[in-house]
């Protein structure tokens, strides 16, 4: 704890169990709809276990999660004449999340139910999407690319047991959709030079972890579910320049800027009108994943490659990334986590 006392006698992850099976079919047809096609059907099953016991406490908490993922992807590619390349496809993903928890007395070995990390009634998240991209080689010095994608996400979570947390809701249901696009330009004005310019929009709908998690991220802090969480939207711009020398040395530099609206971040929250609750014997500050007013991420990256001879080559990269979000309610600028 922050005052110097020990918080945990035990805290560890149990063994992870992961299984992935997939089948991929590739079709080379050359018909009027596509030249090449890939179809992938996959299934994943993931088990994760967390075990903890407070210091000088005989009750060990065991939280187990199981995630089943069914997915279907298909991609098509078509060359139209010599200057146009079209790609399109669809995907469907179904996630099923099960969360259970119990406590075991290490002296008497008696078991009892406990608060689960995710909704104990189960959660599902279904995603459907379709995309289309087009590349147009205007001439040997100028290429235009553009694309559009439609995404639909359906999320459902249910809380059955209210003895640990009498939430003012028993279910979380969300349906979100968005259309996003991008456009890019590639210019090669003379030998060895390459310039790129790109603009795009992005979309991320809240997932089960965002809206339904109950988690003590650190002693005295508790993250609770937030059914009112909205998707975050991203608007991106990128500029790049590259120079090659005799096909043996290549130098590249790129910069980007991303503006996030309704950015999903963890902030102070209230539970039933209170900013603190008693959780696992500790008075904890309530927090939740929420939408910030605005966030931004920007950075630069550089690449250097030199092929000196058939026996010796050198490659180097450098990256700098910076991210903040604006909390307009408290008039503060706060570091943005997970920016990589």
């Amino acid at each position: 704890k922050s005052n110097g006392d020990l918080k945990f006698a035990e805290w560890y992850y149990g063994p992870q169990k992961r299984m992935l099976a997939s089948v991929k079919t590739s079709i080379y047809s050359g018909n009027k709809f596509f030249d090449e096609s890939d179809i992938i059907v996959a299934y994943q099953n993931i088990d994760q276990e967390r075990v903890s016991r407070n210091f000088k406490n005989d009750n060990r908490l065991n939280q187990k999660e199981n995630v089943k993922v069914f997915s279907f992807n298909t991609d098509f590619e078509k060359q139209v004449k010599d200057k146009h390349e079209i790609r399109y496809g669809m995907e469907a993903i179904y996630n099923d999340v099960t969360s259970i928890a119990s406590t075991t007395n290490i002296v008497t070995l008696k078991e009892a139910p406990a608060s689960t990390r995710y909704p104990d009634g189960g959660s599902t998240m279904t995603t459907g999407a379709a995309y289309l991209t087009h590349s147009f080689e205007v001439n040997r010095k100028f290429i235009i690319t553009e694309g559009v994608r439609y995404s639909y996400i359906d999320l459902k979570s249910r809380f059955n047991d209210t003895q640990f947390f009498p939430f003012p809701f028993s279910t979380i249901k969300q349906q979100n959709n968005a259309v996003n696009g991008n456009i890019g330009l590639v210019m090669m004005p003379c030998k060895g030079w390459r310039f790129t310019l790109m603009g795009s929009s992005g979309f991320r709908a809240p997932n089960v972890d965002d809206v339904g998690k109950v988690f003590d991220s650190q002693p005295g802090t508790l993250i609770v579910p937030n059914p009112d969480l909205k998707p975050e939207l991203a608007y991106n711009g990128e500029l790049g320049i590259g120079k090659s020398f005799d096909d043996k040395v290549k130098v590249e530099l790129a910069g980007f800027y991303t503006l996030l609206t309704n950015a999903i971040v963890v902030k102070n929250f209230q539970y039933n009108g209170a900013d603190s609750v008693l959780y696992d014997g500790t008075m904890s500050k309530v927090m939740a994943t929420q939408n910030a007013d605005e966030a931004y991420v920007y950075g630069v990256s550089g690449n250097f490659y030199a092929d000196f001879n058939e026996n010796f080559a050198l490659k180097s990269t450098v990256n700098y990334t910076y991210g903040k979000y604006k909390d307009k309610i408290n008039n503060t600028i706060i570091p943005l986590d997970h920016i990589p």
Side-chain angles (χ1 to χ4, degrees), residues 4-273:
D5 293 338
L6 295 175
K7 170 67 175 177
F8 293 105
E10 298 178 80
W11 205 114
Y12 59 91
Y13 287 97
Q16 289 189 0
K17 298 178 182 178
R18 295 172 176 265
M19 192 273 281
L20 165 65
S22 68
V23 176
K24 178 179 179 180
T25 300
S26 297
I27 303 172
Y28 304 92
S29 175
N31 58 45
K32 63 180 180 179
F33 297 107
F34 63 89
D35 298 325
E36 299 179 20
S37 173
D38 289 328
I39 301 172
I40 303 174
V41 179
Y43 169 75
Q44 295 183 70
N45 193 311
I46 305 162
D47 284 316
Q48 177 65 76
E49 180 183 9
R50 295 174 179 86
V51 181
S52 62
R53 181 171 62 86
N54 287 348
F55 189 62
K56 296 183 179 180
N57 190 316
D58 291 339
N59 292 317
R60 179 190 291 129
L61 174 64
N62 187 298
Q63 294 176 311
K64 294 182 179 181
E65 274 71 54
N66 174 262
V67 182
K68 296 180 177 67
V69 186
F70 303 86
S71 63
F72 172 81
N73 294 76
T74 179
D75 297 283
F76 301 91
E77 178 182 332
K78 180 66 178 178
Q79 189 76 31
V80 181
K81 298 182 179 179
D82 292 329
K83 294 183 176 292
H84 299 269
E85 184 178 83
I86 296 174
R87 297 174 184 266
Y88 60 97
M90 298 172 291
E91 77 171 6
I93 304 173
Y94 177 80
N95 294 265
D96 181 76
V97 182
T98 303
S99 189
I100 60 176
S102 63
T103 59
T104 303
N105 188 293
I106 62 173
V107 178
T108 65
L109 300 182
K110 184 179 179 180
E111 293 190 0
S115 175
T116 56
R117 182 180 176 91
Y118 299 107
D120 62 329
S123 301
T124 61
M125 185 172 177
T126 306
T127 302
Y131 78 91
L132 170 67
T133 67
H134 169 243
S135 177
F136 174 34
E137 185 179 350
V138 180
N139 52 50
R140 297 185 64 181
K141 296 182 178 182
F142 194 63
I143 300 173
I144 301 175
T145 63
E146 66 274 347
V148 63
R149 175 186 173 96
Y150 172 76
S151 304
Y152 173 82
I153 295 92
D154 180 272
L155 184 147
K156 297 183 178 71
S157 295
R158 182 171 184 83
F159 299 85
N160 289 336
D161 195 339
T162 59
Q163 63 171 310
F164 303 103
F165 282 100
F167 294 119
F169 49 85
S170 60
T171 59
I172 296 176
K173 293 183 179 181
Q174 289 198 357
Q175 292 179 334
N176 295 295
N177 65 90
V179 177
N180 293 114
N182 75 285
I183 184 167
L185 305 175
V186 180
M187 292 166 284
M188 296 164 285
C190 54
K191 184 179 179 180
W193 286 97
R194 180 184 176 91
F195 298 89
T196 59
L197 179 66
M198 186 272 288
S200 67
S201 63
F203 163 81
R204 187 175 86 81
N207 57 34
V208 176
D209 189 84
D210 294 322
V211 302
K213 178 171 59 179
V214 178
F215 174 50
D216 52 338
S217 59
Q218 59 187 20
T221 300
L222 180 69
I223 297 175
V224 299
N226 179 14
D228 298 323
L229 195 62
K230 296 179 177 62
E232 63 181 1
L233 304 174
Y235 303 93
N236 316 287
E238 182 175 321
L239 176 65
I241 182 172
K243 172 63 175 172
S244 61
F245 303 89
D246 298 327
D247 295 326
K248 290 188 175 183
V249 178
K250 181 186 293 184
V251 181
E252 295 177 330
L253 182 67
F256 76 92
Y257 184 93
T258 298
L259 174 67
L260 290 165
T261 59
N262 282 339
I264 296 177
V265 298
V266 177
K267 299 197 298 182
N268 293 338
F269 197 62
Q270 287 194 342
Y271 173 70
N272 288 339

